[in-house]
Amino acid sequence: MSAEESVRQAYVAYYQRLVTQMAGLVGNLAEAEDAVHEAFARVLGSPASFLRADDAERWLRVAALNVARTRYRRRWLFDRLVRSGRVEIAPSAVPGVSGDRVALLTALRRLAPPTREVIVLHHLADLPVVEVAATLGIPVGTVKARLARGRAALARFLSDDDPLPMTEEVRHA
């Protein structure tokens, strides 16, 4: 049997189980799928060690886990550099996205997570206040208060005379 046929059989036999395992480890289905796809791509690029492996599924699991770990470390380092202000995300770094959208996403990241959730669900997902409250399991009044604080904070963050550096997260908003 050819290496390509062995990989094809392994894909059919193990793909879904590996994705489920990786999703549990990384907490994100898309990232899990990417890690497993990359593991299979590595096999196709250099099948010798895979073909010699006693347990093909374990070999693929380790390869996918290594991919996921590498991506996590890179993302963690990049996020840390962005938060520290040493690296700034330029609008041109996000193809197909306007500078205004990048500014909005940067401003949203500065909001406290509970406020950000309310703002995103109401303004970006177009959910009514009552549905935002039900989705988050909080009172309608809390949603309204967070919307008011979040809008005010976003207005400050997006103004030209924002006194805070873009890397400082606002905890009270």
Side-chain angles (χ1 to χ4, degrees), residues 1-15 18 36-48 50-51 56 59-60:
M1 172 182 332
S2 73
E4 190 173 307
E5 184 57 33
S6 294
V7 173
R8 183 176 292 118
Q9 287 179 357
Y11 187 87
V12 169
Y14 308 129
Y15 174 78
L18 289 169
V36 173
H37 285 149
E38 179 67 26
F40 277 101
R42 288 181 180 185
V43 169
L44 289 172
S46 161
F50 171 75
L51 295 173
W59 192 98
L60 289 163

Side-chain angles (χ1 to χ4, degrees), residues 67-94:
V67 169
R69 285 177 176 158
T70 299
R71 289 181 178 187
Y72 173 80
R73 280 192 290 271
R74 287 179 183 157
R75 185 175 48 254
W76 177 82
L77 178 60
F78 181 74
D79 289 347
R80 191 167 161 210
L81 290 171
V82 168
R83 282 192 305 272
S84 72
R86 292 173 28 198
V87 171
E88 188 173 320
I89 300 174
S92 61
V94 185

Side-chain angles (χ1 to χ4, degrees), residues 35-147:
V36 173
H37 285 149
E38 179 67 26
F40 277 101
R42 288 181 180 185
V43 169
L44 289 172
S46 161
S49 65
F50 171 75
L51 295 173
R52 286 192 309 267
D54 293 333
D55 186 342
E57 185 177 8
R58 184 181 327 138
W59 192 98
L60 289 163
R61 184 181 310 109
V62 169
L65 182 58
N66 288 339
V67 169
R69 285 177 176 158
T70 299
R71 289 181 178 187
Y72 173 80
R73 280 192 290 271
R74 287 179 183 157
R75 185 175 48 254
W76 177 82
L77 178 60
F78 181 74
D79 289 347
R80 191 167 161 210
L81 290 171
V82 168
R83 282 192 305 272
S84 72
R86 292 173 28 198
V87 171
E88 188 173 320
I89 300 174
S92 61
V94 185
V97 178
S98 71
D100 290 342
R101 183 147 178 100
V102 171
L104 175 61
L105 294 174
T106 302
L108 282 169
R109 278 199 313 260
R110 292 177 63 188
L111 297 173
T115 303
R116 183 180 329 129
E117 290 170 352
V118 168
I119 292 287
V120 168
L121 289 175
H122 183 66
H123 290 291
L124 299 182
D126 289 328
L127 296 180
V129 170
V130 173
E131 195 167 333
V132 172
T135 300
L136 297 175
I138 59 177
V140 170
T142 302
V143 171
K144 290 179 179 179
R146 289 179 184 172
L147 281 171

